[in-house]
């Protein structure tokens, strides 16, 4: 993937300068945080998309396949996929329909709930997600574009932001093994 030529000025720094110049001092740092995170997400997603393109997978489709591959039996209730991926049920349903159409997952009746469906990984889906995972690991995840220390610090900062926003709670302490 070719890299675009860098801009001569950081547009986000210029945006912050404009916020300050317009008297929005109390909001300038927050605007810089939000726009910086959103731009970083665009840059990372472009790398992910490039790595997944040979597999005809979007990141959403990859996430569903990877989640099913991580499960013990290669199948999960649709509601569990929605909860674990933290996306709207309509999005998961639409993604699942495309994966079913492509023969990468199958929709099965839930054994205990007649209203629910299970999503089950097919052999073709398992093979594809393993190849796609190897590509993502080597092309993106092994070198996300920052040092290990910066990556750890960024993950910790974003985790605090997510936790404070109610995205997750600390797990309950587990009792010591006997």
């Amino acid at each position: 993937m070719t890299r675009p030529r860098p801009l001569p000025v950081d547009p986000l720094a210029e945006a912050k300068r404009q916020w300050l110049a317009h008297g929005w001092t109390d909001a300038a740092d927050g605007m810089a945080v939000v726009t910086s995170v959103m731009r970083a997400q665009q840059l990372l997603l472009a790398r992910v998309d490039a790595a997944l393109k040979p597999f005809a997978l979007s990141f959403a489709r990859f996430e569903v396949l990877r989640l099913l591959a991580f499960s013990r039996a290669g199948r999960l209730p649709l509601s569990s996929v929605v909860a674990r991926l933290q996306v709207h049920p309509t999005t998961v349903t639409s993604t699942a329909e495309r994966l079913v159409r492509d023969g990468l997952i199958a929709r099965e009746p839930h054994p205990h709930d007649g209203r629910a469906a299970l999503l089950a990984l097919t052999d073709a889906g398992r093979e594809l997600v393993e190849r796609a995972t190897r590509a993502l690991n080597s092309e993106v995840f092994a070198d996300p574009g920052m040092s290990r220390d910066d990556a750890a610090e960024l993950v910790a900062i974003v985790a605090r932001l997510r936790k404070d926003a109610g995205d997750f709670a600390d797990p309950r302490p587990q009792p010591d093994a006997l």
Side-chain angles (χ1 to χ4, degrees):
M1 185 169 129
T2 61
R3 297 183 105 161
R5 288 183 39 186
L7 297 172
V9 173
D10 179 357
L12 301 183
E14 175 58 17
K16 183 176 179 181
R17 189 186 73 72
Q18 290 289 344
W19 244 250
L20 293 169
H22 283 80
W24 302 323
T25 308
D26 292 346
D29 286 340
M31 182 281 305
V33 166
V34 170
T35 56
S36 293
V37 169
M38 292 174 82
R39 179 61 183 144
Q41 189 266 350
Q42 291 171 337
L43 294 168
L44 292 171
L45 189 54
R47 290 183 61 200
V48 167
D49 287 345
L52 292 176
K53 187 175 183 177
F55 307 99
L57 289 176
S58 65
F59 193 60
R61 288 167 44 104
F62 170 80
E63 284 185 305
V64 171
L65 292 173
R66 186 72 267 165
L67 179 60
L68 292 173
F70 280 150
S71 70
R72 280 188 288 265
R75 63 182 35 85
L76 288 169
L78 181 63
S79 60
S80 293
V81 174
V82 167
R84 292 177 187 174
L85 295 182
Q86 299 177 298
V87 294
H88 194 274
T90 304
T91 302
V92 173
T93 299
S94 173
T95 300
E97 286 171 2
R98 288 191 301 276
L99 291 168
V100 167
R101 181 195 66 218
D102 293 344
L104 301 172
I105 66 171
R107 202 180 258 279
E108 300 176 349
H110 193 287
H112 308 295
D113 183 352
R115 299 166 299 164
L118 290 178
L119 300 181
L121 193 60
T122 65
D123 290 341
R126 184 175 301 282
E127 188 273 330
L128 182 67
V129 77
E130 294 306 328
R131 288 190 301 123
T133 301
R134 285 192 297 275
L136 275 176
N137 283 343
S138 66
E139 298 172 31
V140 181
F141 299 154
D143 182 10
M146 63 183 68
S147 72
R148 284 185 185 273
D149 288 345
D150 283 352
E153 185 176 354
L154 178 61
V155 168
I157 290 167
V158 172
R160 287 193 302 272
L161 182 142
R162 292 175 48 232
K163 183 178 176 197
D164 291 347
D167 199 34
F168 68 94
D170 284 332
R172 286 179 266 169
Q174 298 295 313
D176 291 333
L178 298 177

